[in-house]
Amino acid sequence: MDALILSRLQFAITTVYHFLFVPVTLGLSIFVALLELWYVKSGSYEERIKLKKLVKFFGTIFLINFAMGVVTGIVQEFHFGMNWSEYSRFMGDIFGAPLALEALTAFFLESTFIGIWVFGWDRLSEKLHCACIWIVAFGSNLSAFWILVANSFMQHPVGYEIQEGRAVMASFFDLVTNPYVLGEYCHAFFAGLTTAGFLVIVVSAWKIATDEVSREMFVRTLRRAVLFTLFGIFGVMGSGHLHTQYLATANPMKLSSIEALWETADPAPFAIVADINQAAGRNDSEIAVPYLFTFMVHNSFSGEIKGINELQREAVEKYGSGYYVPDVKGLFWSFRIMVGVGGAMMAIVMVTGLLAFYFGEEIKKFACCLKLMPLLLPLPFIANSVGWYIAEAGRQPWIVVGLQKTVEAVSPNLTAWDVWATLIGFTAIYLFLAVLAVFAAVRFINRTKITEEVE
Amino acid sequence: MDLNVVWFILIAVLFTGFFILEGFDYGVGMLLIGRPEAERTQLIRAIGPVWDANEVWMITAGGASFAAFPHFYASMFSTFYMALFLMLMALIMRGVAFELRGKIDNADWRTFWDGAIIFGSFVPALLWGVAMANLLQGLPINAQMHYVGTFFDLLSPYTIVAGIFFVLLFAFHGATFLSLRLADERLLLDLRKKSKCLGAAAWLAYLAFTILTAAETDVMEHTSGVLIFASAMGVLSAGWEFARDGRQHSAFTTTAVTIAMTTVGLFVALFPRLMVSSLNPEWSLTIYNAASTQNTLFIMTIAAVIFVPIVLIYQGWTYKIFKERIKTV
């Protein structure tokens, strides 16, 4: 393996790992902020003690996750220059601006106010303290916006010119109003709500089953988290659908590859499963629903969708000879995993919600099921990871669609040995820290009681 | 003054902010060495609310370099590949350590994470010194701005001295910061004693650094750079006096000023270059051949003019909220 493929592997591993924590930060910051708002507005003395403990309880889970997100995020910022110097040269005029703005407008905000929030319980008024976590939530989500502005340019370049062999910014306004940003941002934002909500559901279910004295409060968080998560799931579905429709104009190659549609069709069928033969440019066999793909894209039963083979011919005409088709099999199945996992989560959350609202504290009689809930926790993380795989693998062989290929982007001074060393190093430290962070979080969750006793 | 110069100054400002603020965080981290747990907890508590935001100065300096001087960002980060990898490992351990050390009530657990904080503070301090000296001394960079050396080309007596100098200066700076933030009299007295040695060591390292800079780089052609280093040494010796006399505010101010002057001196010596090529002066990266377009620089200037003061205001507010000294645990 050469420095290029190793660098890609390293970026994939570190990004996916980073994005285990990011959606939790995006969503849980908002959930904790809502909890604190509930605390600030609540009346009775006992209630306030318990709510404050609850805010700190989920706040602590948030902080462990936040720390992991921050440290793995620094790696990503350095990564562009370390492994992708030619990309950075080609794209710096455009890509650097959102990255710098992310640090300047969002990272400062979240890191400053999280410090105040953690240490400021006795130094600020309740309202001001509550405002701090809202600012953290705002800062986190603002940072997601900026980084997705940068990513959207790679997926769908707008507002640029090519000067002296590099891409330069023609319009900052076009860059931030790239329609691609809207789809990506909404999808990521709602995925954050879903992931964090699901985490709260799992933790609450576990506490209901295992911690009698705290049960009452966790039934309440469970109910709230169910609503929070469902809101997220519907948002993910809606934004995902609209974004996919937009892909038909923004990047038809990615869309047709996701659906393994090799030949142009009107109306196009939707393949549920397919035996994909990329070398031959067809599916050896498939089970498909007629009309469905066209209907999903055009909201009507007629409408053409271009197949991969025709798009490949068009790309050769436009960019010269080469193979412009991404990994169809990977995209096709990733998409089905993502959608399938999303559907499963919706069902799980709805059933849990029905039980929580119908039985209230009596939900404890399902303790054996609730105790198994942690086994489901990987679901949102799987969906998030394959989702990013689709987004990033779907633009290959380009690093910036139509402008720069991935092979042209890697740092020329790196040897395979360099990248092997760092790849192994990052992977090892990430695994090590995952074990310690999960250990600390689980132990904290199990040992913390939410009761009205004053500490 | 064109926008390229403006951005050179802004990058220098960001690095100055980074070295002053994160400098005392690194220093406090290093000062954990050999202390009993109760003291370590107090030291960490002193930077607890602020270290994360201080680290963002580095991230912003990196991001701003990317936006304003993409070739500088690309060449610097790929050149320092292995060094930055080590730094990232250190920063990862350190960042997680602050969060996890208190999550489990067990002495071994805390000792492990405190070790991570010490390691995670020492390594970046050392490597930033090495890196800054390398930028100025010159690196084998070819006409395409690509680094053609190896990791070991980054290490020379001069760059290692610069690294040690950063370590000692930050450690001393950390000690003067702690003298403002702690309440425990015995601990304060102990730090004052330590400051005596640290201040002297930092001053000697500064002397070695200045002499080697004069010998190993072309700084003598920019005499203002040498003058700044020399006067910074004067400020540092005053800081040493203040620290010994227990004049805490003055001591901290002088170490902060020393770091600011050192950073400014480095950038003055570099100007208008960003990275010096040791192969051919023509191949050095400058604020013109490494820059973004005027359009991007203009937009980023507006953003910086608006947001840097806002950041300073709310970050300053944190120090006001947490100005009370840390009570003995």
Side-chain angles (χ1 to χ4, degrees), chain B residues 138-158:
Chain B
L139 288 157
I141 291 169
N142 68 15
Q144 285 74 44
M145 302 181 177
H146 296 150
Y147 180 61
V148 290
T150 67
F151 171 68
F152 295 101
D153 292 331
L154 303 176
L155 303 175
S156 69
Y158 168 54

Side-chain angles (χ1 to χ4, degrees), chain A residues 60 77 109 133 187 322 361 378:
Chain A
T60 301
E77 197 213 25
L109 211 54
I133 191 74
H187 204 53
E361 278 192 61

